[in-house]
C-alpha cells in the first residue's frame, strides 16, 4: 500500500493551525495560561472556525498513520511507540512546560510571584500544591499542551490490546467499517451522528480537563476518531468517498459553523439559551466536527499532492515544533506586555517569533544525536523509522 502523501500535508497544516490557535488564545476571553491586556471576544468567531474539529482530525490522521506503521514494524511496535512518545513527554513536563506554569503563576497568583524562575522550578518539580487563587490550585508538574501525546499513547495501548486479545474482532470490524464507508453517504452520516449523540449526552456532564483520568467526553470523541483512522487507512474506496463527498461536506460544515457563531454571539455571558436551542447547537457542533474533516481530507485527496523535499522536511519537523511552540508563545507574550503593542501588530509578531524559534530548536536538536529522542526524533541511523514515527504523532 503506497503512502498517502496528501494526509501528510493535512497533518502539517493542522499543526500549523495549532500555532495560530494558541496565539489566538492569548487574545480571546477564554481562560488560558497568560492573557493579553487587550483580550476580547473579537477573535472568537475565527477560533470557532477550527476548535470543533482540529484535534479530532489529528487523532484521525494519527490512527491512519499507526495502521501503516504497525505494518512496517509489527514486532516491538508498542515498545518503540512508547519510547518515541513518553521520552518527549517526560522531558517536556520537566523542561519545556515549566515556563508556561511560571508565567501563569506570575500573572494569576494574588499579589504576583516574585521569587524568580529557578525557585519556582524547584517548587514545580517538588509538586508544590501552594499555587492557589480563590481555592483553585495549579497542579504541578503538568503536561499542558502535551496532553495530546498522553492521549495518543493511551489510545495506541488500547489498539494494541485489541490486536493482541481480539484480533479477529478487530479485523472484521475494520473490514465492515471500510465497506460501510466505501460507498454512498455513510462516511458523511454515521460518524457525524455519533459525534452529535456524544456531544448531546456527555458535554454537559464532563468538563474538558485533558487530565486523562476524568476526561470522559474527550475520550468518547477522540478514541473513536483514532480507531476509525486505523480501520479505514488501507481502503482506497473510502479515500475515494472522501474526495467524492467533499463539496457536500463543505456546505454542511459552513452551515453548521454559521449557526455556531450566531449562537455564541447571541448567548454569551449571562444570557441563557433555551434548552431546545442548546441541543440544536450541540448537534450543529457535532455536525461541523465531522463534516469539516471530510471536506478537508476530501479536498486534499482530490488535490493528491505527491512527495517532495518540503513534505519530508516538514513531516519530521512537525512533532518537535509542536512540543516547543506553546512555551515560546507564553514566554514571548508575557514579556511583550510592557511594550503595549496592539494585537494587530503583536499577534503576527508572536506567530513569526514562535515559528522561527520552534524551527530553530528543531534544527538544533536534529543535528545532535543524543538530543533527538527528547523531541521525538529517532537517531539518524534509523531515519526511515523516524519519518514513520513522526507520521503517527
Amino acid at each position: 500500500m503506497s503512502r498517502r502523501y496528501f494526509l501528510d500535508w493535512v497533518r502539517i497544516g493542522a499543526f500549523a493551525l495549532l500555532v495560530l490557535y494558541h496565539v489566538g488564545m492569548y487574545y480571546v476571553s477564554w481562560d488560558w495560561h497568560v492573557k493579553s491586556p487587550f483580550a476580547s471576544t473579537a477573535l472568537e468567531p475565527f477560533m470557532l472556525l477550527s476548535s470543533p474539529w482540529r484535534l479530532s482530525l489529528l487523532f484521525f490522521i494519527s490512527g491512519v498513520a499507526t495502521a501503516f506503521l504497525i505494518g512496517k514494524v509489527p514486532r516491538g511496535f508498542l515498545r518503540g511507540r512508547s519510547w518515541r512518545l513518553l521520552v518527549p513527554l517526560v522531558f517536556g513536563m520537566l523542561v519545556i512546560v515549566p515556563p508556561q506554569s511560571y508565567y501563569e503563576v506570575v500573572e494569576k497568583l494574588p499579589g504576583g510571584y516574585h521569587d524568580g524562575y529557578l525557585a519556582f522550578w524547584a517548587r514545580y518539580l517538588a509538586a508544590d500544591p501552594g499555587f492557589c487563587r480563590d481555592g483553585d490550585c495549579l497542579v504541578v508538574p503538568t503536561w499542558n499542551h502535551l496532553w495530546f501525546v498522553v492521549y495518543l499513547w493511551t489510545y495506541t495501548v488500547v489498539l494494541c490490546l485489541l490486536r493482541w486479545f481480539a484480533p479477529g474482532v478487530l479485523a472484521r470490524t475494520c473490514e465492515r467499517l471500510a465497506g460501510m464507508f466505501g460507498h454512498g453517504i455513510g462516511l458523511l452520516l454515521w460518524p457525524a451522528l455519533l459525534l452529535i449523540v456524544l456531544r448531546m449526552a456527555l458535554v454537559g456532564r464532563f468538563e474538558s480537563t485533558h487530565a486523562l483520568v476524568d476526561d470522559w467526553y474527550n475520550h468518547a470523541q477522540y478514541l473513536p476518531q483514532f480507531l476509525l483512522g486505523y480501520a479505514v487507512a488501507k481502503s482506497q474506496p473510502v479515500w475515494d468517498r472522501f474526495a467524492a463527498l467533499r463539496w457536500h461536506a463543505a456546505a454542511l460544515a459552513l452551515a453548521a459553523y454559521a449557526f455556531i457563531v450566531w449562537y455564541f454571539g447571541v448567548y454569551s455571558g449571562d444570557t441563557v439559551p433555551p434548552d431546545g436551542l442548546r441541543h440544536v447547537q450541540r448537534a450543529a457542533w457535532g455536525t461541523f466536527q465531522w463534516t469539516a474533516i471530510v471536506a478537508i481530507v476530501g479536498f486534499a485527496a482530490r488535490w493528491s499532492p505527491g512527495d517532495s523535499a518540503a513534505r519530508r522536511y516538514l513531516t519530521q519537523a512537525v512533532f518537535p515544533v509542536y512540543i516547543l511552540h506553546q512555551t515560546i508563545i507564553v514566554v514571548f507574550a508575557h514579556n511583550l506586555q510592557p511594550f503595549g503593542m496592539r494585537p494587530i501588530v503583536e499577534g503576527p509578531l508572536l506567530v513569526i517569533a514562535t515559528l522561527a524559534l520552534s524551527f530553530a530548536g528543531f534544527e538544533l536538536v536534529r543535528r545532535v544525536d543524543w538530543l533527538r529522542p527528547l523531541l521525538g526524533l529517532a537517531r539518524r541511523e534509523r531515519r526511515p523509522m523516524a519519518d514513520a514515527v513522526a507520521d503517527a504523532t
Side-chain angles (χ1 to χ4, degrees):
M1 183 67 62
S2 62
R3 184 187 184 94
R4 304 193 188 282
Y5 294 116
F6 69 89
L7 286 179
D8 291 340
W9 287 108
V10 172
R11 176 173 165 271
I12 291 164
F15 274 108
L17 189 60
L18 190 63
V19 174
L20 297 177
Y21 187 87
H22 283 153
V23 170
M25 284 297 294
Y26 179 57
Y27 294 106
V28 294
S29 64
W30 308 336
D31 186 44
W32 203 53
H33 310 290
V34 294
K35 298 305 298 184
S36 168
F38 302 103
S40 70
T41 62
L43 284 178
E44 288 171 12
F46 299 98
M47 302 287 279
L48 287 169
L49 188 57
S50 67
S51 58
W53 52 263
R54 189 187 64 258
L55 272 304
S56 294
L57 174 63
L58 286 173
F59 279 113
F60 175 77
I61 294 175
S62 294
V64 174
T66 299
F68 285 98
L69 183 58
I70 288 179
K72 293 178 180 179
V73 194
R75 294 176 62 88
F77 168 75
L78 184 57
R79 181 174 63 252
R81 294 296 291 131
S82 298
W83 176 259
R84 297 295 179 240
L85 293 175
L86 297 184
V87 169
L89 173 65
V90 172
F91 175 72
M93 291 177 66
L94 297 180
V95 178
I96 303 297
V97 169
Q100 300 179 33
S101 298
Y102 169 70
Y103 284 111
E104 183 170 1
V105 166
V106 168
E107 290 201 7
K108 295 182 179 180
L109 201 68
Y113 181 81
H114 308 287
D115 291 342
Y117 178 72
L118 291 180
F120 169 82
W121 192 28
R123 294 177 63 182
Y124 173 97
L125 296 176
D128 191 322
F131 301 112
C132 301
R133 182 183 67 176
D134 299 328
D136 183 20
C137 299
L138 185 66
V139 178
V140 293
T142 183
W143 48 57
N144 280 6
H145 69 295
L146 300 182
W147 69 267
F148 176 80
V149 180
V150 183
Y151 284 42
L152 179 56
W153 179 81
T154 302
Y155 299 162
T156 302
V157 171
V158 171
L159 176 61
C160 288
L161 290 174
L162 291 173
R163 285 174 57 88
W164 294 338
F165 296 108
V169 173
L170 179 63
R172 288 192 296 272
T173 302
C174 292
E175 184 178 351
R176 288 171 183 169
L177 287 173
M180 181 189 308
F181 297 149
H183 58 85
I185 63 169
L187 176 67
L188 197 57
L189 175 63
W190 299 117
L193 183 60
L194 173 64
L195 290 169
I196 290 169
V197 171
L198 290 174
R199 187 160 186 88
M200 295 180 71
L202 300 179
V203 73
R205 298 175 58 192
F206 300 103
E207 182 182 0
S208 178
T209 67
H210 297 154
L212 186 64
V213 294
D214 59 354
D215 204 13
W216 297 113
Y217 170 60
N218 280 334
H219 289 313
Q221 59 177 331
Y222 295 145
L223 177 58
Q225 294 290 335
F226 176 80
L227 295 176
L228 178 60
Y230 174 85
V232 305
K234 299 181 181 181
S235 174
Q236 185 57 47
V238 171
W239 301 112
D240 292 340
R241 291 310 296 163
F242 270 103
L245 293 169
R246 66 193 187 280
W247 286 109
H248 305 79
L252 287 170
L254 288 174
Y257 167 69
F259 178 83
I260 291 169
V261 170
W262 171 82
Y263 175 91
F264 284 107
V266 172
Y267 297 101
S268 59
D270 296 329
T271 306
V272 179
D275 287 341
L277 192 61
R278 182 185 291 110
H279 291 313
V280 174
Q281 177 269 129
R282 291 174 179 175
W285 187 284
T287 300
F288 184 35
Q289 188 173 2
W290 178 247
T291 55
I293 292 173
V294 175
I296 291 166
V297 173
F299 280 107
R302 181 68 174 178
W303 176 37
S304 193
D307 194 13
S308 67
R311 184 210 64 82
R312 292 190 295 273
Y313 176 81
L314 292 172
T315 294
Q316 192 178 83
V318 158
F319 193 40
V321 169
Y322 158 73
I323 292 171
L324 296 169
H325 83 280
Q326 184 161 294
T327 294
I328 296 171
I329 294 171
V330 169
V331 171
F332 266 75
H334 177 84
N335 286 285
L336 284 174
Q337 288 179 7
F339 295 95
M341 287 187 287
R342 295 287 175 174
I344 195 171
V345 175
E346 184 185 60
L349 180 61
L350 278 176
V351 172
I352 293 170
T354 299
L355 290 174
L357 288 178
S358 296
F359 276 97
F362 164 65
E363 286 292 335
L364 170 64
V365 168
R366 78 185 186 112
R367 286 169 165 77
V368 182
D369 207 45
W370 65 271
L371 288 177
R372 291 172 65 91
L374 300 179
L375 294 188
L377 298 174
R379 296 188 182 277
R380 278 176 285 189
E381 64 269 21
R382 299 178 62 190
R383 187 176 298 275
M385 174 65 72
D387 192 48
V389 170
D391 295 339
T393 55

